Amino acid sequence: MSPRLRSFKPFSRPLLWACLWVLALAAVVVASLLPGSALPQWQVSDKTEHFLAYALLSAGAVQLFSRRRSLVVVCVLLILLGVLLEFLQGAMGLGRTQDMRDALANGLGVLLGLATIFTPLRDALLRLDGWLFRR
């Protein structure tokens, strides 16, 4: 494996999985910065949406990274991103408001996703990669 990819688990297609994770991250950023009127209205609390989005992003990081240091750095950056996006929502004037409870929900979601490292689910993507690409 390339030295640039040494933080990743031993996937057959590490760049594929990394790109899909980055796309998910970009979707969260875009959805966070769209005007409130452009977003679909769900039947769940927006705090739940924040919590689940960031839990999935950090659980995705658990799937990708083999080095705990890399994983911790990514999760810290996700928490900081959640706080930054809340400030941007308040500053942009597009019908979105800054709510630090949303940032708290983001951070708690990151911690839940990170906790998947202690479960058998931590290597689910690696098993899928093996099933899809190593026949």
Side-chain angles (χ1 to χ4, degrees):
M1 181 177 289
S2 164
R4 292 178 295 173
L5 300 176
R6 67 179 185 260
S7 289
F8 289 102
K9 291 181 180 177
F11 294 109
S12 295
R13 307 276 194 296
L15 292 178
L16 168 69
W17 302 118
C19 286
L20 290 173
W21 185 79
V22 169
L23 283 174
L25 180 64
V28 168
V29 170
V30 168
S32 296
L33 297 177
L34 283 174
S37 60
L39 297 172
Q41 299 303 311
W42 304 100
Q43 296 299 319
V44 296
S45 159
D46 76 317
K47 306 300 179 267
T48 303
E49 293 171 0
H50 284 264
F51 179 81
L52 291 175
Y54 281 81
L56 290 172
L57 287 174
S58 66
V62 167
Q63 296 298 310
L64 289 174
F65 296 102
S66 62
R67 293 182 175 201
R68 291 195 185 210
R69 182 176 181 181
S70 299
L71 187 56
V72 168
V73 167
V74 167
C75 286
V76 167
L77 291 174
L78 284 173
I79 291 170
L80 292 174
L81 176 68
V83 171
L84 174 66
L85 289 173
E86 284 305 313
F87 281 114
L88 290 174
Q89 284 178 355
M92 291 177 65
L94 294 174
R96 305 291 294 266
T97 59
Q98 176 182 332
D99 186 349
M100 285 299 119
R101 292 173 298 175
D102 288 345
L104 177 62
N106 297 342
L108 292 173
V110 169
L111 292 177
L112 176 70
L114 182 59
T116 63
I117 198 168
F118 301 111
T119 73
L121 293 174
R122 71 180 165 268
D123 291 324
L125 187 60
L126 191 59
R127 288 190 294 273
L128 177 64
D129 178 81
W131 182 77
L132 289 175
F133 300 115
R134 294 185 184 151
R135 290 185 176 198

